Amino acid sequence: MDYQPDVNAALQQLRREVYDRGAYYKESPSPDLDMTEEEFRASLGPAPSDDDDDDDGLYEFSIADWLDRKGRPVPVDPDTLIAAQPESGTHSIIDMANGVSTSPRFATVSPLTTEELIEKFGTVTPSSEQVRAWIVTSGGRDRWVGTYVVSYRDGQPDNLHFCGFSGD
């Protein structure tokens, strides 16, 4: 994306663009969410009795899980999408919901350090071509941690590049 000095604004813009394009992982709808609570309980079979020694709490856990899933929002933007599928994420930049940080943190994007820039590019002002090649070969840091790199043309900031992994 074209360079802009406000990295968080660029991140939020990109998250919205990816959401609007539908370029993210979508969980398959669960058919049990179309049921009423009564229908769902019936699908589990009879509830364990108070004196049932084999009750391991699975019945109540299943109901609590179903109620949690049933109560999730219908996605209308990147943040409600994350709330709608919190376990899987979106496998996209949308998962970087905690914004920008100065160092790698969960669900954020952070810059490479000066040392990392020199190690990876031999300069602190890499070109877009260098950054794109690095992204293709490395993809970034650890899962659920995003990275951004500013690339340069003629000594001036030219592009912002975001990369990383989320999901499986």
Side-chain angles (χ1 to χ4, degrees):
M1 104 178 320
D2 288 342
Y3 175 77
Q4 59 177 292
D6 186 339
V7 176
N8 192 53
L11 172 64
Q12 299 313 319
Q13 175 187 341
L14 183 56
R15 290 177 73 234
R16 184 65 203 207
E17 288 172 6
V18 168
Y19 176 82
D20 290 345
R21 284 194 321 262
Y24 53 84
Y25 170 75
K26 299 167 189 81
E27 287 183 353
S28 298
S30 182
D32 66 356
L33 295 179
D34 291 333
M35 296 178 181
T36 65
E37 184 174 346
E38 183 177 280
E39 291 169 330
F40 181 73
R41 285 178 182 271
S43 75
L44 295 176
S49 64
D50 289 338
D51 55 332
D52 187 353
D53 290 336
D54 291 332
D55 179 22
D56 57 5
L58 185 59
Y59 183 86
E60 288 305 317
F61 172 82
S62 297
I63 299 219
D65 177 67
W66 180 83
L67 288 169
D68 174 64
R69 291 183 296 119
K70 185 97 169 159
R72 291 181 185 161
V74 174
V76 294
D77 60 28
D79 293 323
T80 54
L81 174 62
I82 290 172
Q85 48 189 66
E87 286 87 23
S88 69
T90 68
H91 303 206
S92 74
I93 193 73
I94 292 170
D95 291 331
M96 299 299 106
N98 294 337
V100 178
S101 63
T102 56
S103 61
R105 289 185 177 33
F106 177 77
T108 67
V109 297
S110 61
L112 294 176
T113 65
T114 299
E115 294 79 19
E116 289 171 317
L117 287 166
I118 291 170
E119 174 190 323
K120 292 165 187 354
F121 306 113
T123 180
V124 294
T125 58
S127 68
S128 287
E129 293 76 24
Q130 287 176 298
V131 175
R132 285 189 201 106
W134 173 73
I135 290 171
V136 167
T137 59
S138 80
R141 295 179 170 127
D142 296 327
R143 293 211 180 276
W144 295 94
V145 174
T147 303
Y148 74 88
V149 180
V150 177
S151 64
Y152 294 78
R153 180 184 304 170
D154 301 324
Q156 298 298 313
D158 186 44
N159 285 293
L160 271 173
H161 304 265
F162 293 96
C163 63
F165 301 102
S166 64
D168 297 331

